[in-house]
Amino acid sequence: MTATIETSQGSPFDADAGLAGIGTPPAASVSAGPASGVSAPASRVSPGPGSPQAPRRSAPSSLPNGGVGASRTGIRRGVITVTGSVGPRYGEILTPDALAFLALLHDRFDGARDELIAQRQLRRQDIADGSDPDFRASTRPVRDDPDWRVAGSRRAPGLEDRRVEITGPTDPKMTINALNSGARCWLADAEDASSPTWPNVVEGQLALHDAIRGTLSFTNEAGKEYRLRSAHIADLPTIVFRPRGWHLDEAHLRYTDANGITSSALGSLVDFGLYFFHNAAELIERGRGPYFYLPKLEGYKEARLWNEVFEVAQDALGIPRGTIRATVLIETLPAAFEMEEILYELREHCAGLNAGRWDYLFSVIKCFRTRGDSYVLPDRAQVTMTAPFMRAYTELLVATCHKRGAHAIGGMSAFIPDRRDPEVTRKAFQQVAADKKREAGDGFDGTWVAHPDLIPVAEAEFDAVLGDAPNQVSRQRPDVAVGQHELLDIASARRAGATVTSAGLRSNVSVAVRYIDSWLRGTGAAALDNLMEDAATAEISRSQVWQWIASGTVTDDDKLPVTRERVEAVLLDVVALLPHEHGNRIEDAAAIFRQVALQDDFPAFLTNPAYQGRLVGSPADQV
């Protein structure tokens, strides 16, 4: 389907009440010229291991020029300061111009991000207090207008055919394996599959920098060499980079604004900014483009903010607007009610939407955690994609995407093969094939896998539906009729016979503790019990435990209530049985689990307190 972007109409409704208005011209260009002319100063300070980290906001620090940078135009700007230690080649990523570019993004968007996070908290409390999410009346003109389309894959080389995408973190070995995998795309993940240690953040950027230029290689401790199968990035899976979400900070970079107020930098802008600054022009030159996955959005205003970031970034580096393409993960319950609005806000830069199933389940639990038994989900293993409320979510996503010329990308089945165990591999292939057959039949244009051996399995199911066509965007779904009731019918999973069990309780505790231990040691994607676990699945595990306690849930197999005392006993048993090898963080993981699953307060994300309280300054965080 040919996508068009109409910019000649006037706004049919109030911008503050709804969206920016159909046909609103792009925001004005920033006053800064190309990044090579931006000269905001940056200094580098390396604290010792375990040094205390400053809070998000703090008093002005002593920085060059009083903590304020100045461009050639004389406009006063903030400054980004490196407080993390500097390892080999870090200077190639943390260049003065790159830090000035990050400062520019923070000058424009740091405050707006904080406002959106505050709005998230208010909305979450409204839902907890009994106000159900619904489709917005104020944005109905966008949903009712039949004419607008997103940019999609038009003039975005490498995004036409996305039938199988492999996911994984950006360390050198995983980067090479992903790019050698034979998938159509690679979700280069700096978010849920990556532990945000300082080395992972910077060295992941180095790996991407080298891979794009065809120079990346890696030799492990045993002497095994890993090399790209081609030096030409256009011969390899298309890179779609996922930065951290709006809610995460970066403790090793400090932003001091023009008033001298200092805070942690924003992980989202750091990840996006460094990748875009160093690679956007190079990708275009080599026949690809700067493509992104946007995680954890909770509504169209957050999409609008990303769109403004894209506009400013492209203007600052002299790259035409619309070059960036973003795929938004619909992985929160509020966002499910604003899919069309999210597409609309990003329409000039939007390629599609993805059904982020695991974070979506986490969001459902988080939103309804205090709403009683009818909102309690059963064991995670029993919540399948055929549950009516999950089916409604995915079918609405496909219908919405194709209506607007966007790609619909399916989610990831957690089953992974084991090359040493044929039966585990057989089961994984069977489960993944069934999952991908359902997605392809429903109209998805592509899907995710977490292991190279699963690529042929998933590809076969999409080949059977797509044939030689690159996608099925032209397939409309007028049969889909999904409303508020269908999306919020959480009880449908248990009505169908799914249960809460003592085994499910123990599994949640065990998975959460083992994953957090892995995360604290610097690994954000962990194979546990033949499943690929990441931050999203760990969030489900701890959130279910919190909700079961709060709701007085009784496990169906033994008729015993889930209480703090019961969970604590399970936790102690799990910890005692885990191997305590050198360098483990099991006790720290157990402490984090108590904090995020057993306290009265419910942290919005486990990664926030775990990052500031246990990861920053730890051995894994050192260069």
Side-chain angles (χ1 to χ4, degrees), residues 59-407:
S61 57
S62 178
L63 295 171
N65 300 328
V68 179
S71 71
R72 292 185 302 176
T73 61
I75 298 174
R76 290 166 62 82
R77 293 207 184 105
V79 65
I80 294 287
T81 305
V82 179
T83 59
S85 52
V86 178
R89 296 188 62 202
Y90 280 35
E92 296 178 35
I93 297 298
L94 305 171
T95 65
D97 279 352
L99 296 177
F101 182 66
L102 295 185
L104 170 65
L105 296 179
H106 281 75
D107 287 343
R108 291 292 301 270
F109 304 113
D110 181 79
R113 175 271 198 176
D114 288 350
E115 291 178 8
L116 287 175
I117 294 298
Q119 291 176 20
R120 278 187 183 183
Q121 295 169 345
L122 292 173
R123 189 174 190 184
R124 192 177 302 125
Q125 189 59 50
D126 285 344
I127 296 173
D129 291 341
S131 177
D132 287 339
D134 200 353
F135 299 93
R136 290 180 182 266
S138 62
T139 60
R140 185 168 181 172
V142 165
R143 298 194 299 274
D144 287 349
D145 186 333
D147 296 327
W148 63 268
R149 299 290 185 271
V150 302
S153 61
R154 182 170 53 93
R155 295 197 299 272
L159 288 183
E160 301 90 348
D161 189 328
R162 304 175 63 177
R163 68 186 68 197
V164 181
E165 303 186 351
I166 192 166
T167 72
T170 58
D171 60 272
K173 177 184 173 181
M174 296 302 292
T175 295
I176 293 171
N177 286 345
L179 291 175
N180 288 345
S181 68
R184 302 300 175 103
C185 297
W186 170 41
L187 187 162
D189 198 2
E191 206 231 4
D192 274 356
S194 179
S195 170
T197 66
W198 181 232
N200 282 350
V201 169
V202 182
E203 292 167 25
Q205 293 280 349
L206 277 167
L208 291 165
H209 172 279
D210 292 351
I212 289 165
R213 290 156 180 82
T215 62
L216 180 64
S217 63
F218 174 72
T219 303
N220 67 14
E221 293 180 355
K224 182 178 179 181
E225 294 186 3
Y226 296 78
R227 295 185 179 277
L228 296 172
R229 59 180 171 85
S230 173
H232 303 288
I233 197 66
D235 295 336
L236 303 174
T238 301
I239 298 173
V240 186
F241 178 63
R242 177 161 71 167
R244 280 169 283 182
W246 283 127
H247 61 290
L248 294 168
D249 294 334
E250 174 49 64
H252 305 86
L253 294 173
R254 303 289 290 170
Y255 167 60
T256 301
D257 68 16
N259 297 314
I261 304 300
T262 298
S263 60
S264 295
L266 305 184
S268 51
L269 295 184
V270 168
D271 294 343
F272 163 81
L274 291 175
Y275 181 77
F276 186 79
F277 180 85
H278 288 294
N279 301 308
E282 190 75 23
L283 284 162
I284 296 166
E285 178 69 22
R286 292 174 179 266
R288 286 293 182 259
Y291 307 142
F292 299 90
Y293 264 109
L294 301 181
K296 306 291 189 294
L297 269 64
E298 295 198 9
Y300 72 86
K301 291 183 180 179
E302 297 184 19
R304 178 188 295 171
L305 185 61
W306 268 119
N307 197 67
E308 292 170 354
V309 170
F310 294 162
E311 291 174 343
V312 168
Q314 289 167 132
D315 290 348
L317 300 190
I319 291 174
R321 289 191 178 187
T323 302
I324 289 174
R325 292 300 158 85
T327 304
V328 177
L329 291 112
I330 302 300
E331 53 186 353
T332 68
L333 183 64
F337 289 92
E338 300 184 24
M339 288 193 233
E340 282 195 82
E341 293 90 332
I342 287 169
L343 288 173
Y344 177 81
E345 288 290 350
L346 284 159
R347 62 196 182 281
E348 186 182 21
H349 299 107
C350 194
L353 303 178
N354 171 274
R357 61 179 72 174
W358 301 116
D359 265 303
Y360 189 76
L361 285 173
F362 163 49
S363 178
V364 167
I365 299 167
K366 177 162 55 176
C367 286
F368 294 121
R369 67 190 184 277
T370 59
R371 295 279 294 271
D373 188 65
S374 61
Y375 291 95
V376 167
L377 283 175
D379 290 359
R380 172 189 138 190
Q382 298 185 52
V383 184
T384 69
M385 295 305 294
T386 59
F389 78 100
M390 293 298 286
R391 188 110 176 103
Y393 147 69
T394 56
E395 294 222 302
L396 179 62
L397 187 146
V398 171
T400 301
C401 283
H402 290 183
K403 176 183 176 183
R404 301 303 183 181
H407 286 207

Side-chain angles (χ1 to χ4, degrees), residues 417 419 425 429 451-457:
R419 292 170 180 172
T425 297
F429 285 2
H451 193 284
D453 290 354
L454 296 173
I455 293 172
V457 178

Side-chain angles (χ1 to χ4, degrees), residues 432-620:
V432 170
D435 187 61
K436 304 317 170 189
K437 182 176 182 178
R438 174 190 53 78
E439 288 182 332
D442 285 348
F444 280 96
D445 303 288
T447 192
W448 284 1
V449 297
H451 193 284
D453 290 354
L454 296 173
I455 293 172
V457 178
E459 194 164 52
E461 300 301 335
F462 274 84
D463 286 349
V465 172
L466 296 179
D468 294 330
N471 55 66
Q472 51 184 332
V473 172
S474 62
R475 178 185 169 189
Q476 302 295 296
R477 291 294 309 274
D479 56 306
V480 173
V482 172
Q484 181 193 42
H485 171 74
E486 288 77 16
L487 289 173
L488 298 185
D489 189 14
I490 312 304
S492 61
R494 294 175 77 188
R495 284 201 311 270
T499 57
V500 179
T501 68
S502 57
L505 172 61
R506 184 179 183 87
S507 176
N508 276 344
V509 175
S510 177
V511 166
V513 171
R514 286 183 291 161
Y515 177 78
I516 296 169
D517 169 56
S518 172
W519 190 86
L520 290 174
R521 289 196 273 174
T523 300
L528 304 174
D529 305 328
N530 303 312
L531 299 173
M532 182 57 69
E533 306 286 354
D534 65 7
T537 54
E539 291 282 22
I540 294 172
S541 297
R542 68 95 180 186
S543 298
Q544 280 202 306
V545 171
W546 195 99
Q547 185 186 36
W548 291 345
I549 293 171
S551 303
T553 300
V554 173
T555 45
D556 292 285
D557 54 329
D558 55 17
K559 307 304 179 185
L560 295 175
V562 180
T563 63
R564 285 188 177 88
E565 293 74 20
R566 180 181 179 183
V567 175
E568 180 66 32
V570 173
L571 176 61
L572 291 174
D573 189 47
V574 165
V575 168
L577 293 175
L578 290 175
H580 288 61
E581 72 270 16
H582 177 71
N584 80 86
R585 300 292 303 276
I586 292 172
E587 293 297 337
D588 287 327
I592 292 170
F593 180 82
R594 290 185 179 95
Q595 181 181 359
V596 300
L598 299 183
Q599 300 298 315
D600 290 339
D601 292 333
F602 181 90
F605 295 94
L606 73 82
T607 46
N608 289 99
Y611 178 69
Q612 291 290 354
R614 305 278 178 168
L615 185 65
V616 174
S618 70

